[in-house]
Amino acid sequence: MFNPESTYRIQFNKAFNFEAFENILPYLQQLGIKTIYASPIFKAVPGSMHGYDITDPLQINPEIGTLEQLHKISARLKELDISWIQDIVPNHMAFHQDNNWLMDVLMKGQPSVYSSYFDIDWHHPLFKGKLILPILSKSLDETLKNKELSIVSNGQKFYLEYLDVNVPLNEAAAVSLTNTDLATLNKDRDKIKNIIDQQYYVPTVWSDTDKHINYRRFFTINGLISLNIQNKNDFEKDKQGNSLPYL
């Protein structure tokens, strides 16, 4: 049984990356450190200072380094007889537009191959098969009245834009918007409301989750959506929906 001793906690982020860690290895060796306890190293929300808001658990966070650097660090630690304990985040991910699994769920609803990955109550009476999207600072009607919601496109897909948040529109809405003048459309709040009503999500005020919510989250943090880690079939799939080797 592995028995960690003389453990030193490392907090990786954009201000302290793999290169910075390599630079302090001689110092750690002099201290007599025998075990490194590393914070999450997978792709997280841009600018994350802690790494627990994961957006892709299958990629190294580019803000802290590369897989090649990690292999180099591993080899160096073996030379120094220093062990490594990796903190991972198996039970939740970031409720964020960079979370491609979740964005696929927002675009396709329950039929998405990733919908079972997340602990979502699709039968909640208030949302009727849709996922609550608690991103607004005021009611949907007020937000529309203030023209803070708009439809945008990157040339391939259409999105609902709110401040710095973009969430995808479903295929039916995208087809209906082909050849549409978005500048004209965005002046008509009734049409935008109609498009929103067709989606697999319901934009709400963030504080509404104090009263009702239909996804399990980490404590009461709206930005961290829980995973169904207890489902082995989901836990062992990659981002294409293919099974991963059991690790």
Side-chain angles (χ1 to χ4, degrees), residues 3-245:
N3 182 26
E5 52 183 323
S6 304
T7 303
Y8 193 97
R9 174 68 154 72
I10 295 293
Q11 180 63 65
F12 287 112
N13 52 58
K14 63 181 182 180
F16 187 84
N17 55 21
F18 287 163
E19 182 179 358
F21 172 68
E22 286 188 81
N23 291 337
I24 69 168
L25 278 177
Y27 169 69
L28 297 179
Q29 184 184 34
Q30 290 176 13
L31 283 180
I33 299 303
K34 302 298 292 182
T35 305
I36 297 299
Y37 173 33
S39 67
I41 60 174
F42 304 114
K43 189 175 181 182
V45 170
S48 174
M49 296 304 289
H50 50 79
Y52 288 93
D53 43 2
I54 297 292
T55 57
D56 189 342
L58 305 178
Q59 292 187 47
I60 299 296
N61 189 345
E63 293 188 350
I64 65 175
T66 66
L67 184 59
E68 290 72 24
Q69 284 180 297
L70 188 59
H71 286 160
K72 181 182 175 184
I73 287 173
S74 176
R76 180 62 178 142
L77 290 176
K78 289 177 181 177
E79 292 175 0
L80 298 175
D81 193 28
I82 298 177
S83 301
W84 178 288
I85 297 176
Q86 180 59 59
D87 191 353
I88 62 173
V89 190
N91 62 339
H92 66 261
M93 291 181 72
F95 199 118
H96 189 270
Q97 62 196 32
D98 286 357
N99 183 344
N100 291 329
W101 296 353
L102 183 59
M103 293 303 103
D104 194 79
V105 174
L106 292 179
M107 184 168 61
K108 300 175 183 176
Q110 196 168 0
S112 167
V113 68
Y114 306 111
S115 65
S116 62
Y117 286 25
F118 304 100
D119 196 353
I120 301 170
D121 179 6
W122 292 103
H123 304 291
H124 193 290
L126 288 178
F127 305 111
K128 301 177 182 178
K130 300 185 178 185
L131 178 60
I132 185 174
L133 187 65
I135 61 172
L136 306 179
S137 62
K138 55 183 75 70
S139 72
L140 178 58
D141 287 341
E142 288 181 280
T143 304
L144 286 168
K145 182 179 180 180
N146 294 338
K147 298 181 179 179
E148 295 174 339
L149 280 167
S150 57
I151 307 300
V152 298
S153 173
N154 63 1
Q156 297 178 317
K157 294 182 179 180
F158 290 90
Y159 300 85
L160 178 67
E161 182 178 72
Y162 174 70
L163 301 179
D164 60 347
V165 177
N166 287 336
V167 292
L169 299 183
N170 61 26
E171 184 176 356
V175 170
S176 69
L177 290 170
T178 302
N179 300 322
T180 297
D181 180 1
L182 296 184
T184 300
L185 171 66
N186 285 323
K187 295 177 182 178
D188 192 328
R189 67 183 186 186
D190 290 332
K191 287 185 178 180
I192 295 178
K193 176 62 165 57
N194 182 56
I195 291 171
I196 292 173
D197 289 342
Q198 299 174 40
Q199 303 311 305
Y200 295 111
Y201 48 81
V202 181
T204 67
V205 181
W206 66 269
S207 57
D208 281 354
T209 56
D210 291 339
K211 304 172 185 175
H212 43 250
I213 188 169
N214 68 336
Y215 67 89
R216 182 165 56 89
R217 52 190 171 164
F218 182 76
F219 289 97
T220 57
I221 302 174
N222 290 342
L224 296 176
I225 184 170
S226 294
L227 295 167
N228 283 320
I229 188 175
Q230 74 279 5
N231 296 341
K232 186 177 179 181
N233 288 338
D234 292 330
F235 188 60
E236 295 174 1
K237 289 178 182 177
D238 68 9
K239 57 187 175 182
Q240 281 79 40
N242 301 312
S243 295
L244 289 171

